[in-house]
Amino acid sequence: MENKTGSFIAHRRKELGMTQRQLAEILGVTNKAVSKWETGQGMPDVGMLPELSRALGVTVDEILDGKEVVREDLPTEAVIEVLPYEGSLLDLAVERAAKKMSGVSVKPCDVAGVLCLFLAAGLIAVQVWYLLRGRSYGLTYLTDYIPAVMSGASVVLLWLGGIFVRCLRHIWKKGCVLIAAAILFITGIAVNVVFRPEGREIISISPGASNIMRLKLTEDGSADLYRQRGVIFAAQWDTFPFTVKDSIKIQWLEDDVCAMTYESPDDGDVHQYVATYGDRGSGISYYYVFSMVHGTWAAEDDRDNYAIEVIDGPGAGITVHTPEGTKSYTADQCLQYGTLALVFPRENPQWTLVMNKDCVLDENDSGIEEGGTLTLCRVGMDKTAPLILDRASGEGKLSLIPSKAMSDETLKDKD
């Protein structure tokens, strides 16, 4: 029976102009299996017979009997059933694959595994892109430890992906695969730690977690400020004008204003650098803080002790009134950072003034609308508490600021 069936399959295949390989591809078997059928060394599986009959354009009975039935003796329905498949061989193969896929069930663990594999591939792609292109754009990682974390995470995700996907699980659970994953994990982290750039870095996140400040300090005391670019990258923005003696005091005066105070061995004085990450206007045009905050401002909690008067135009400057006395600074003595902060005086700075986030510029960009506040903070290496200033309005508020003559006299007494 096997010889008849095999001979019939070979005869019918040749009539249709198919090779053993083509028939095997349609049925989803190897060409060796087709060869065994045709030489009588084996029989097709029962479940394979319907597909084989369609591919050859005959009935299952004809395959089993090993001979073709005369078509005139068959009912009309049977003749239609055994007509050769009119579509292309590719269509028949696609149809067969679709039937197989319809019986495949996808479980949540398979989805999780594929997701882990995609994440691992993404981490590896990012690291390769940085090595090949990212550094040429002046980019660096936001922190020096990110490469080690990414290397370790990519190995873990690859292994988890193989464990979750059912068809890969038996391979990933082998001892040799576990050992290879452990070696890659340890090696990837170790290499990144050993080759980590020299120098000390300082990372500080704003209170609202919307901005990240990164400083890189070298052995000679120079300090480079970096700004975030994307999620995990940063680019150098500026370098401190003075070298850093020891530690740096980091203080966020607003969610987008970071003040960095430090002592420098260059002159032995205290200096401050202010990093700003926002804008109170449209973000397109540049404006001077002096022009926006002109007027009198007083502390919310203790108005009789702390107040400032900002004068714009001729004789522009700031007068600061405190319990210790009053001091005036000219505009030339004030150093502006971005469009949000003033530090004064330039030499041996004493105060930092910041436009808070509730400041909204008026329609003519000539000042701040009502309701905006300022932050005034002493400059020093010790812990300092910022003061919130409201715009002083109404009669008598200007009297909070002593005259310049009184200010000079008070300063003489202090000296």
Side-chain angles (χ1 to χ4, degrees), residues 83-148:
L83 285 176
Y85 186 69
E86 295 182 355
S88 65
L89 298 179
L90 178 60
D91 293 337
L92 185 59
V94 170
E95 183 179 341
R96 177 176 176 79
K99 288 182 178 179
K100 287 186 175 181
M101 290 299 296
S102 63
V104 177
S105 61
V106 179
K107 294 187 176 181
C109 62
D110 293 314
V111 177
V114 172
L115 180 60
C116 287
L117 293 175
F118 270 110
L119 289 175
L123 291 178
I124 295 172
V126 170
Q127 294 181 82
V128 172
W129 176 85
Y130 172 72
L131 292 174
L132 298 180
R133 301 294 301 274
R135 291 183 296 181
S136 63
Y137 296 143
L139 296 177
T140 183
Y141 285 108
L142 191 57
T143 172
D144 293 335
Y145 293 98
I146 285 180

Side-chain angles (χ1 to χ4, degrees), residues 17-28:
M18 285 191 292
T19 64
Q20 288 183 346
R21 182 181 295 276
Q22 289 175 326
L23 180 59
E25 290 177 353
I26 293 173
L27 300 175

Side-chain angles (χ1 to χ4, degrees), residues 18 70 84 110-111 157 186 220 230 239 247 276 308 320 328 371 383-384:
M18 285 191 292
V70 180
D110 293 314
V111 177
L157 288 170
I186 296 173
D220 61 1
T239 300
S247 61
T276 61
I308 65 170
V320 181
S328 296
K383 187 176 181 179
T384 54

Side-chain angles (χ1 to χ4, degrees), residues 91 129 138 178 199 221 233 261 265 299 313 320 361 366 373-374 388 399:
D91 293 337
W129 176 85
L178 289 172
F233 294 110
T261 310
V320 181
L361 304 188
S366 60
T373 62
L374 307 179
I388 304 300
S399 63

Side-chain angles (χ1 to χ4, degrees), residues 1-11 36-40 42-43 63:
M1 178 178 176
E2 292 181 354
N3 288 336
K4 288 184 178 181
T5 299
S7 300
F8 181 72
I9 293 174
H11 172 72
K36 287 183 178 181
W37 299 342
E38 294 183 354
T39 58
M43 285 286 291
I63 295 175

Side-chain angles (χ1 to χ4, degrees), residues 262-301:
Y262 61 99
E263 291 180 314
S264 175
D266 298 344
D267 55 8
D269 291 335
V270 174
H271 300 274
Q272 187 174 86
Y273 187 100
V274 181
T276 61
Y277 300 87
D279 189 86
R280 304 296 178 253
S282 61
I284 300 176
S285 60
Y286 184 85
Y287 56 84
Y288 291 99
V289 176
F290 266 113
S291 302
M292 299 300 107
V293 301
H294 59 82
T296 304
W297 303 77
E300 291 180 336
D301 299 330

Side-chain angles (χ1 to χ4, degrees), residues 339-352:
T339 57
L340 301 180
L342 289 175
V343 175
F344 51 91
R346 290 174 178 265
E347 305 296 331
N348 192 20
Q350 302 296 317
W351 298 97
T352 305

